[in-house]
Amino acid sequence: MATLLASLRSPRGLLTVLVLVLLAVLPLLTQAFDQRYLLSIGTRIVIWAIAAVSLNMILGYGGLVSFGHAVFFGVGGYAVGILSANGLHSGWLQWPVGILAAATWAALVGTLSLRTRGVYFIMITLAFAQLVYYIGAGLEAYGADDGLNISRSRFPGVIDLRDKASFYWLCFVLLCGTLWFCQRFANSRFGFVLRGAKSNDLRMTALGFPVFRYRLAAFTISGAFGGLAGILLANEGAYISPAMMSWIKSGDLIIIVVLGGMGTLFGPLYGAIAFFALEEFLPPLLDLGGKDWGEYWQIVFGPMLILIALYARGGIDSLLGRTEGRRNG
Amino acid sequence: MEYLLLQILNGVQLGLLMFLLAAGLTLTFGIMDLVNLAHGSLYMMGAYIAWTLIAWTDSFVLGALLTLPATFVLGIVVERVVARRLYARDHLDQVLATFGLILFFNELVRVIWGPAGKSIAVPRFLAHTIEIMPGAPYPAYRFAIIVVGAAVALLLAWLVARTRVGMLIRAGASNRRMIAALGINIELLFSLVFGLGAVFAALAGLMAAPVTSVKIGMGDDILILAFVIIVIGGIGSIKGAFVAAMLVGQIDIIGRAFLPDMLKTFLSPSAAASAAPSISQVLVYVLMAGVLIWRPTGLFGQRN
């Protein structure tokens, strides 16, 4: 509590508290102003933020450029969808299965791909994601390319996921849990080994740390949280499809993490907010020009990404002062 | 027997198209150390520019020939404006910036050509079948793809192995700082290689157009396949790209052509039909994973 109050004195802390409070009361706000549509954007932001935080654990803290993180959307989502299509609707079953499946897949992919470096690592994570994508696209019984409408997970007597506000709050609580975990993770001995390996893995190996095993553990944990995000995503739309794990989505996740600030705790959350805000508000802004240019918002967003990659690697977080960003630079 | 032969030819045709795409990618990757996700966009731009030029000249051959210099210029522009700023950056920056280029080009196409797909008709003089073997008719256009693709592959092999530019390209792939130190204008070489890669990508895009279709994002998925090919072959190796493209082409076609019948023995026909293309794709990625585990730098990659 004391640290929380102390954090209010810096602009970074103030913004963080402000954002979290705003997110916490979002359903009340959208109801008061009768803007239900904003709640669905808010839900997507929160779910994507969970996935982005999980990607940040390996990308930001570990320096491992995984270009297939959206695969965990798919694994988590398809676990829910396949169980639900076979009449097993209980969330108490679906959710652990989804998370376990994602963690198992992450452990498997990690075992094979963490032996490679650099571009090869990027490509092999991408290839494994594509592999699952095509498996999803080939599952005739579960909608193949077109996807499948599913019924939402059931937690009888606890929560009704069909209620948009309850679902949002559940996602929000899970996001807070993920952030809490990530904070503990990053500042633990484990996290420091991982960050050490990012800056110099030879040195860490020389110091006697089994770098590969640390990375594999981080990759697996990250996959488990990604699976959780996938479970939520499937429940958000009551729909699963291979498109949720296309490589474009993996790219979007990387954008979100970099946009927010790699290797910072709240960066991925800011990134998710900024990403979806741009997607929602850039089109109407462009429409102000008089013509219907809003439809073509990506023609502005694409060059923005190039500029961010070239000149603004610290992301949004670095705009808030250098204390935290530097430590991880 | 005829069926098998036709399918192998289809595999060769796909492999040659993939090789054209992968050749530019492996060169930019090997020489400039650039992960260029936007290479697929050049493939798409090639098809769209060809569509316009073919409609304008009213001739497939003339339109196609004009497309090549046009995309060379486009490649040079992309290299000068964006790509060259990325050579010294880490791979994450490159992924991010070239992903931005993809969004830009997809949207640019929507602005210029509209959201609906286009189709390029098979040129009239090739709109027939030829009998490569008695009783085995094969579309002349697809045969032409094989001929052109093979010719370009040979041309490229000659260019890289026998000419001075090719010597510089090979030298650049193994040590670019050294050849810069030896007084070679490396910026010019980089522009040239990037432009050449753009031409090959565009050629693949425009040749594929009559047998597939010209649409937004057409380069996105095929790009990933091209990456898989250069990773299997070994980054920077033209020979590796060729061998891997042929392998992938055969796996893909054989999978599509023969898996449905094999799967039908234990799946329903519709399930088999929808699973087969997926399985052949999955096989490609399994091949890549296997190669990387066996040889972490690809079949013909440099080991260092």
Side-chain angles (χ1 to χ4, degrees):
Chain A
M1 200 62 209
T3 50
L4 194 70
L5 284 176
S7 72
L8 278 175
R9 285 189 212 114
S10 72
R12 171 179 284 107
L14 200 64
L15 181 78
T16 307
V17 173
L18 201 70
V19 164
L20 286 179
V21 169
L22 260 178
L23 283 175
V25 299
L26 187 71
L28 303 177
L29 290 176
T30 55
Q31 199 170 23
F33 295 98
D34 203 28
Q35 297 279 335
R36 306 258 156 94
Y37 176 58
L38 282 181
L39 185 60
S40 87
I41 300 174
T43 312
R44 264 189 297 149
I45 288 177
V46 170
I47 296 174
W48 276 73
I50 294 176
V53 170
S54 76
L55 175 61
N56 191 32
M57 289 176 197
I58 48 173
L59 176 66
Y61 294 110
L64 303 167
V65 185
S66 166
F67 198 178
H69 206 66
V71 74
F72 300 113
F73 278 154
V75 175
Y78 270 76
V80 171
I82 289 174
L83 289 175
S84 141
N86 288 305
L88 297 162
H89 296 292
S90 166
W92 300 116
L93 174 72
Q94 288 177 352
W95 290 38
V97 168
I99 291 171
L100 206 65
T104 311
W105 181 247
L108 195 73
V109 171
T111 309
L112 297 175
S113 58
L114 286 169
R115 293 175 196 283
T116 60
R117 291 273 167 280
V119 175
Y120 289 97
F121 181 77
I122 300 180
M123 288 305 143
I124 201 166
T125 48
L126 174 64
F128 278 115
Q130 289 292 98
L131 195 137
V132 179
Y133 172 89
Y134 284 109
I135 291 176
L139 289 176
E140 170 79 5
Y142 303 103
D145 266 330
D146 302 326
L148 187 68
N149 287 311
I150 60 169
S151 69
R152 293 187 169 81
S153 305
R154 288 183 202 151
F155 294 94
V158 182
I159 187 173
D160 184 0
L161 298 188
R162 280 170 302 181
D163 180 60
K164 296 245 182 323
S166 318
F167 181 64
Y168 172 82
W169 270 313
L170 176 67
C171 294
F172 178 70
V173 168
L174 289 171
L175 171 65
C176 292
T178 309
L179 284 168
W180 174 82
F181 179 88
C182 184
Q183 201 259 340
R184 299 298 303 262
F185 169 90
N187 293 310
S188 66
R189 180 172 174 280
F190 182 90
F192 275 96
V193 173
L194 199 64
R195 287 147 81 170
K198 175 191 176 185
S199 22
N200 193 337
D201 65 345
L202 268 180
R203 186 177 218 168
M204 293 309 281
T205 311
L207 286 172
F209 291 102
V211 168
F212 175 80
R213 268 188 262 163
Y214 275 87
R215 283 182 169 156
L216 181 60
F219 201 83
T220 308
I221 294 170
S222 162
F225 279 99
L228 174 67
I231 292 169
L232 293 173
L233 208 60
N235 275 295
E236 191 250 342
Y239 174 69
I240 53 167
S241 87
M244 67 201 279
M245 47 179 158
S246 84
W247 68 273
I248 302 282
K249 303 274 188 216
S250 296
D252 287 344
L253 276 171
I254 293 183
I255 290 171
I256 286 174
V257 173
V258 176
L259 191 63
M262 283 201 307
T264 64
L265 181 58
F266 288 97
L269 173 60
Y270 301 147
I273 293 172
F275 184 81
F276 284 96
L278 280 173
E279 192 178 78
E280 284 305 316
F281 301 116
L282 204 53
L285 215 63
L286 292 175
D287 278 340
L288 289 180
K291 295 177 185 161
D292 285 341
W293 288 353
E295 201 190 329
Y296 307 118
W297 67 281
Q298 290 195 331
I299 215 164
V300 178
F301 188 59
M304 267 174 70
L305 280 182
I306 299 171
L307 292 178
I308 288 169
L310 287 176
Y311 304 113
R313 268 293 295 282
I316 296 169
D317 189 87
S318 68
L319 301 177
L320 305 169
R322 305 238 353 111
T323 47
E324 206 182 347
R326 199 143 159 191
R327 203 178 63 205
N328 301 304
Chain B
M1 185 57 212
E2 285 84 11
Y3 183 64
L4 180 70
L5 181 72
L6 293 186
Q7 294 309 328
I8 289 174
L9 274 181
N10 277 338
V12 170
Q13 176 226 312
L14 181 70
L16 283 169
L17 282 179
M18 293 306 307
F19 169 69
L20 289 184
L21 197 59
L25 204 57
T26 203
L27 285 179
T28 47
F29 221 170
I31 298 177
M32 286 93 104
D33 197 24
L34 172 71
V35 184
N36 182 18
L37 295 182
H39 200 66
S41 297
L42 296 169
Y43 172 86
M44 173 180 73
M45 291 303 287
Y48 271 98
I49 292 174
W51 181 83
T52 300
L53 290 175
I54 288 168
W56 182 59
T57 59
D58 203 25
S59 149
F60 183 90
V61 174
L62 206 57
L65 285 178
L66 286 176
T67 303
L68 303 182
T71 47
F72 184 72
V73 172
L74 178 70
I76 299 283
V77 169
V78 172
E79 202 268 343
R80 293 271 151 132
V81 176
V82 181
R84 76 165 31 173
R85 290 168 218 280
L86 294 168
Y87 297 154
R89 298 304 195 97
D90 69 26
H91 295 311
L92 182 62
D93 286 349
Q94 299 175 349
V95 165
L96 205 65
T98 52
F99 194 82
L101 272 178
I102 294 183
L103 299 183
F104 175 78
F105 275 115
N106 280 349
E107 218 57 17
L108 185 72
V109 165
R110 221 145 67 93
V111 171
I112 298 178
W113 285 281
K118 307 278 180 208
S119 62
I120 294 178
V122 172
R124 228 167 295 127
F125 66 95
L126 288 171
H128 57 88
T129 59
I130 48 174
E131 285 205 9
I132 35 175
M133 242 174 59
Y138 194 71
Y141 182 75
R142 282 175 181 269
F143 197 73
I145 293 183
I146 294 177
V147 172
V148 174
V152 173
L154 285 175
L155 181 77
L156 190 63
W158 171 78
L159 184 79
V160 170
R162 294 269 180 267
T163 65
R164 183 173 167 78
V165 173
M167 189 182 73
L168 294 177
I169 288 176
R170 279 179 291 137
S174 47
N175 194 338
R176 61 186 153 142
R177 277 169 60 200
M178 180 57 86
I179 72 162
L182 290 174
I184 305 300
N185 185 346
I186 196 140
E187 295 206 337
L188 187 69
L189 183 70
F190 285 176
S191 288
L192 195 71
V193 168
F194 202 95
L196 210 63
V199 170
F200 286 140
L203 181 63
L206 83 89
M207 287 205 303
V211 283
T212 57
S213 68
V214 185
K215 59 175 193 275
I216 293 166
M218 65 188 274
D220 296 355
D221 282 331
I222 204 157
L223 167 83
I224 302 297
L225 207 56
F227 266 118
V228 168
I229 285 169
I230 68 172
V231 169
I232 291 176
I235 288 167
S237 164
I238 294 275
K239 187 165 67 173
F242 184 79
V243 171
M246 284 300 149
L247 266 175
V248 167
Q250 289 305 333
I251 290 181
D252 191 73
I253 293 297
I254 301 270
R256 268 166 223 270
F258 298 103
L259 271 176
D261 289 331
M262 275 149 64
L263 292 173
K264 266 179 210 156
T265 55
F266 55 95
L267 281 175
S268 71
S270 74
S274 111
S278 297
I279 294 178
S280 67
Q281 289 286 321
V282 167
L283 283 178
V284 170
Y285 292 106
V286 170
L287 172 72
M288 166 173 163
V291 166
L292 281 190
I293 291 161
W294 175 46
R295 281 191 172 175
T297 51
L299 293 176
F300 295 89
Q302 288 174 346
R303 254 146 271 161
N304 45 12

